[in-house]
Amino acid sequence: MNDSDADKTKWYAADFETTSLKNLETDGCVRVWLWSLVGVTTDEKYYGFDIESFLKQIKQIKPKRVFFHNLKFDGKFIVDYFIRSGKEYGIEYEVIIDGLGSWYEIKWHTDKKHTTKFWDSLKKFPGTSVKMLGKFVGLPKLDAPYFDKYYPKDYEPTQQEIDYCIR
């Protein structure tokens, strides 16, 4: 690990809220409709409403690490976007998945001088849920909004949904 990797001020936790079966049945696809990005050692908080704005934010702030709690799920949306947008595997991004289907890392070479690594916090805290992690670090419990509904592309999340995703 080089010195720049040790700078935890450039580490973030992220979460995606994604559409469900109702959108798949109606639109033929699922997508990210809300995302959050929170500094691990800072008070930085970002959120947005689609995968494009998430990746744009990543390019802008240039984090070293971004942790998803279950990269296997959230990472599929990132890789799908890379494939659909024509990014070149091995040059612009790389993925580490073992033979059993466990996702460990997505490396995104955002430009010639920077790489963001998406890691799976579930590997650091096996057998835990996001709810359990929140309790472990002393975050107050938030009631989960009702997510199993149809989300049109122009849907504007409620403040409760945004706060829940950030938390």
Side-chain angles (χ1 to χ4, degrees):
M1 177 164 37
N2 65 39
D3 289 341
S4 64
D5 289 338
D7 182 5
K8 292 187 173 125
T9 62
K10 295 303 251 175
W11 288 20
Y12 292 80
D15 190 24
F16 289 162
E17 299 302 339
T18 61
T19 58
S20 65
L21 185 58
K22 292 181 184 349
N23 277 79
L24 181 61
E25 292 170 344
T26 304
D27 301 335
C29 66
V30 293
R31 61 182 165 72
V32 173
W33 63 269
L34 177 61
W35 59 264
S36 64
L37 190 61
V38 178
V40 170
T41 61
T42 68
D43 288 333
E44 293 175 276
K45 293 179 180 75
Y46 306 96
Y47 65 90
F49 311 122
D50 56 38
I51 189 77
E52 294 89 357
S53 63
F54 173 77
L55 294 171
K56 183 178 179 182
Q57 187 68 55
I58 294 293
K59 277 189 96 161
Q60 182 179 338
I61 65 173
K62 298 183 184 302
K64 296 287 183 186
R65 305 279 182 275
V66 176
F67 291 90
F68 282 95
H69 201 66
N70 190 2
L71 185 62
K72 182 177 184 174
F73 177 81
D74 299 285
K76 289 177 183 177
F77 290 90
I78 295 169
V79 172
D80 177 72
Y81 181 82
F82 288 167
I83 291 168
R84 290 177 186 269
S85 64
K87 295 200 181 308
E88 239 181 294
Y89 184 80
I91 295 173
E92 295 177 89
Y93 73 99
E94 302 165 54
V95 183
I96 298 175
I97 304 170
D98 72 14
L100 299 173
S102 292
W103 288 51
Y104 291 90
E105 178 180 78
I106 300 169
K107 282 186 196 173
W108 181 27
H109 309 292
T110 56
D111 59 44
K112 291 182 183 193
K113 294 182 180 181
H114 182 75
T115 297
T116 293
K117 294 179 181 180
F118 299 97
W119 280 3
D120 191 349
S121 59
L122 189 56
K123 303 293 184 290
K124 298 237 179 237
F125 303 98
T128 62
S129 66
V130 171
K131 182 178 177 180
M132 291 167 66
L133 282 178
K135 188 175 181 180
F136 175 70
V137 298
L139 292 175
K141 182 183 178 283
L142 287 180
D143 291 330
Y146 181 70
F147 288 130
D148 190 24
K149 61 184 180 183
Y150 178 78
Y151 291 91
K153 286 199 178 215
D154 62 350
Y155 179 77
E156 292 187 29
T158 66
Q159 192 60 51
Q160 179 193 17
E161 291 165 335
I162 292 167
D163 291 346
Y164 182 83
C165 187
I166 288 171
R167 182 63 51 99

